[in-house]
Amino acid sequence: MKRRHILCGLLLLSITFLIIQSYLFLYLYPAITKKENIEAIVKTLQLANIDIFLTDPHILKKVVQPELRTKSSSCSFLCHDEPVTWFGIHGNSIALYKQSSVKQTLEENRFIVREIFQQQTWPQGGAGVVANDDSNVEALGTTLTHILINRERYTVCISVFFSRGQHVFSYLWHHKLPIADLNELPWQLLSSDLQMLHFPGAYDKFEMVKVSLDGVSVLAARYPGSYLHQVSAATFIECNGTRAKQFFRKYPKDKSQNAKEFQQQALEIVKKAKIILDQLAVPFWLSSGTCLGWYRQCDLITYSQDVDLGIRIDDYNPKIMPMFKRGGFLLDHIFGKISDSFQLAFKFNNVKVDLFFFYQEGDTMWNGGTDYETANKYKYIFPKFSLCWTDFLKMKVRIPCQTQSYIEANYGTKWLEPVKQWDWRESPSNVINNGQWSQSDWEEVIQLF
C-alpha cells in the first residue's frame, strides 16, 4: 500500500514537471510564424551578400491578383496554405554561400538545413553539348542545386538558378529536387505538386527589383505575370549524353568539310529562326530529323542537309514570311493552305529550313506534305504531345515532351540506326496518303520560288 502511494506521488511529480517544462518552453520559445521563418532566412542570406529572390508562384499570384491576398494586415502575401515557400539564388552565388556562415547561423537559430548536391552535366558558363566536342557529354562533377531549410512546420526551398546558353540566347535553368533519393525530406515537400519540385526548369532571364512584402524586403521579378507564365511551361529535358556517346562509338561523327559547313550553317539558321519566331511570339519545336538528331545524338544529323521545325497551325502568323525574308532567308516554297497541310520552306546559304504546321484531330496531331510534281497529299500522324524545353546548340528550344513516341511515330522503333536513303513520301512510319489537290487549287497550294 505504501509502495503504491510512493509510485503515485512520483507519477504526479513527473506530470507536474512536464507541465512546467512545457510552459517554460512556450514562454522561452513562442510559436514561430511562417513570416518570421521567411524573414529570418532572407535576412541571413542578405547579410552574406547573397541575392535571394522570390520564386514562389502562390505569393507572386497575390502580387498580380489582389483578390487572392490573405485578409491580414501583417501577413497578406507571405502567409498562404501551401506547405513550402520557394526562393532562388543564382549559380554564381554558390561560392559566396560556401564561404559564408549562413548554414551555421540558421542552425544556431533552430533551423534544419539540408543541402542537395547533384550531378552537373554541362560546362559552367556554357550550355549543353557542342556539336564537335565529345567531352561535353561527360558529367562534370556535382554542384549545389537546392537548399532545404525547415523549422517547426515551415519549409523554405531555395533552388539554384544556373545561367546557360550563350550571349543573347542565355537563359536560367534549375535542377529538379530528387525526392526519390532523399529519405529525410521534410514531410511538407511530399504534398507539393509544383513543377520545380518534380522537373528541371528553364526560364528566359528576367529583370528583378526589390519589393517589400509584409515588411520583408526581397528581390522578385519586375513583371511577375510574365514569370508565372513561364513557370507553367518550364519543364526541361536534357539530351541523353550517355546515349550520344554510345551512338558515336558505333557510328563515328562525320568530320568532313561538308559536314562542318552544314553544322555551321544549320546553327546560324536555328539562331535566326529562333530570334524571328520569338519576336513574333510563335512557339516552335525541333521536328523530324532535327528532333531525331537531338534525341539520338545530342547533335545535328549532318547527312540530312536541312533543318526541320514544327509549329501549331493555331500559332501561324502572316508576318512569318516577311520576317524570314528580312532576316536573310529566301522563300523556297509554299505548300498547302492554312486550313490544310500548310508548309513553308526557306533557304539560307543553300541549306533548307522546313516549317511544318501541325493540326490537332482528337488525340492525334498531324502535319501535311505535298508532292509538287503530282499534287498528291500526304499526312504524317503523331500521338498528341505537349512541349518541353531543352538545350540544343547552346540555345533554349522546345521539343515534344513525349519525345520517344514522337520519334517512333516518324521513324519506327529502329530510330537508333542511321538511315541515309530516305523517301519522305514512303519511308516515315506514320505517313498515309491523303488524296490529291484539285487542279483548280494548284496555283495556290503549290508555289515554288
Side-chain angles (χ1 to χ4, degrees):
M1 191 74 168
K2 187 177 179 182
R3 186 176 178 184
R4 181 195 282 178
H5 285 307
I6 292 171
L7 288 172
C8 287
L10 288 172
L11 182 61
L12 186 62
L13 188 64
S14 298
I15 292 171
T16 304
F17 179 72
L18 285 171
I19 292 171
I20 292 170
Q21 265 193 326
S22 299
Y23 275 108
L24 283 172
F25 184 83
L26 290 172
Y27 177 76
L28 295 172
Y29 302 105
I32 303 295
T33 66
K34 176 177 279 193
K35 175 187 169 183
E36 288 170 333
N37 258 11
I38 291 172
E39 187 170 20
I41 293 167
V42 169
K43 284 186 175 179
T44 301
L45 271 79
Q46 288 173 343
L47 286 171
N49 294 317
I50 297 170
D51 288 333
I52 180 171
F53 51 93
L54 182 67
T55 61
D56 192 289
H58 305 289
I59 297 175
L60 291 170
K61 282 177 184 176
K62 293 182 180 184
V63 176
V64 178
Q65 299 172 266
E67 65 274 14
L68 297 178
R69 295 172 192 172
T70 309
K71 293 179 180 178
S72 166
S73 58
S74 62
C75 197
S76 60
F77 290 97
L78 302 179
C79 296
H80 56 67
D81 295 331
E82 293 300 319
V84 186
T85 306
W86 299 83
F87 288 85
I89 61 173
H90 287 293
N92 56 16
S93 294
I94 291 177
L96 270 176
Y97 172 79
K98 288 180 177 178
Q99 293 163 10
S100 73
S101 58
V102 166
K103 183 179 179 182
Q104 180 183 342
T105 302
L106 290 171
E107 289 175 339
E108 288 172 354
N109 285 280
R110 299 188 297 117
F111 284 99
I112 298 169
V113 181
R114 179 76 183 272
E115 298 169 339
I116 311 299
F117 290 84
Q118 296 184 76
Q119 204 75 16
Q120 179 188 321
T121 55
W122 75 98
Q124 282 281 19
V129 175
V130 180
N132 290 310
D133 186 357
D134 292 330
S135 66
N136 282 335
V137 297
E138 298 284 2
L140 301 174
T142 58
T143 187
L144 179 69
T145 61
H146 298 86
I147 308 167
L148 298 175
I149 307 171
N150 178 258
R151 184 167 66 174
E152 297 185 7
R153 63 186 185 276
Y154 302 116
T155 300
V156 165
C157 181
I158 302 174
S159 300
V160 182
F161 284 68
F162 296 91
S163 181
R164 297 183 61 170
Q166 284 188 338
H167 310 305
V168 297
F169 301 107
S170 63
Y171 61 95
L172 296 175
W173 177 92
H174 68 72
H175 220 297
K176 73 173 183 177
L177 195 58
I179 299 178
D181 301 331
L182 302 173
N183 299 319
E184 301 172 13
L185 279 177
W187 67 267
Q188 297 100 322
L189 281 167
L190 302 179
S191 62
S192 179
D193 61 354
L194 284 183
Q195 180 274 342
M196 60 184 66
L197 177 64
H198 300 283
F199 304 98
Y203 306 78
D204 292 337
K205 288 191 171 180
F206 48 89
E207 183 184 356
M208 289 190 288
V209 294
K210 189 166 283 189
V211 297
S212 179
L213 301 175
D214 300 326
V216 178
S217 181
V218 67
L219 291 170
R222 178 181 286 276
Y223 306 105
S226 175
Y227 169 78
L228 287 169
H229 178 71
Q230 291 198 68
V231 170
S232 64
T235 303
F236 182 96
I237 300 175
E238 198 80 66
C239 77
N240 190 323
T242 301
R243 180 165 57 219
K245 279 191 70 176
Q246 292 170 346
F247 177 83
F248 284 122
R249 283 197 193 106
K250 190 172 182 180
Y251 307 102
K253 282 187 179 182
D254 181 356
K255 296 185 178 180
S256 67
Q257 187 60 34
N258 284 342
K260 290 178 181 178
E261 287 177 2
F262 168 72
Q263 284 178 330
Q264 291 169 354
Q265 291 171 12
L267 172 60
E268 192 66 21
I269 285 173
V270 178
K271 282 181 179 179
K272 284 178 170 289
K274 176 174 170 59
I275 290 172
I276 292 168
L277 294 172
D278 285 355
Q279 285 177 350
L280 294 174
V282 173
F284 72 93
W285 63 90
L286 304 183
S287 189
S288 302
T290 307
C291 185
L292 174 62
W294 169 82
Y295 191 67
R296 184 176 68 189
Q297 58 209 63
C298 301
D299 204 350
L300 291 157
I301 299 176
T302 53
Y303 59 77
S304 70
Q305 292 295 304
D306 66 1
V307 172
D308 302 309
L309 305 177
I311 298 172
R312 295 182 191 274
I313 194 62
D314 293 341
D315 293 319
Y316 172 71
N317 187 322
K319 294 181 181 178
I320 288 176
M321 280 188 276
M323 288 286 282
F324 266 75
K325 289 178 182 177
R326 200 176 304 160
F329 290 88
L330 298 176
L331 185 58
D332 185 75
H333 66 249
I334 303 172
F335 289 159
K337 305 176 180 181
I338 302 296
S339 59
D340 182 10
S341 305
F342 193 55
Q343 177 190 345
L344 296 175
F346 300 89
K347 279 193 174 179
F348 185 85
N349 290 340
N350 293 319
V351 173
K352 184 160 68 77
V353 54
D354 286 304
L355 303 187
F356 297 115
F357 289 86
F358 281 67
Y359 303 76
Q360 184 171 334
E361 283 186 4
D363 291 331
T364 63
M365 304 280 289
W366 64 274
N367 71 284
T370 296
D371 186 334
Y372 70 87
E373 293 180 328
T374 63
N376 288 338
K377 299 166 62 181
Y378 299 89
K379 197 173 188 178
Y380 305 87
I381 303 171
F382 298 82
K384 190 177 176 182
F385 55 88
S386 52
L387 295 177
C388 291
W389 293 105
T390 193
D391 190 295
F392 185 62
L393 305 175
K394 301 191 179 182
M395 286 175 278
K396 179 171 76 86
V397 296
R398 294 177 186 84
I399 49 162
C401 300
Q402 301 77 12
T403 321
Q404 186 157 331
S405 63
Y406 186 88
I407 295 293
E408 289 184 353
N410 217 182
Y411 296 98
T413 57
K414 295 184 178 180
W415 51 268
L416 271 169
E417 300 174 11
V419 177
K420 297 186 178 182
Q421 300 298 319
W422 185 262
D423 187 330
W424 61 270
R425 291 156 294 200
E426 298 178 0
S427 299
S429 304
N430 60 342
V431 64
I432 61 172
N433 290 321
N434 193 30
Q436 188 179 46
W437 291 108
S438 168
Q439 190 169 352
S440 60
D441 289 331
W442 286 5
E443 189 173 338
E444 177 189 357
V445 300
I446 303 174
Q447 299 184 53
L448 302 172
F449 298 93

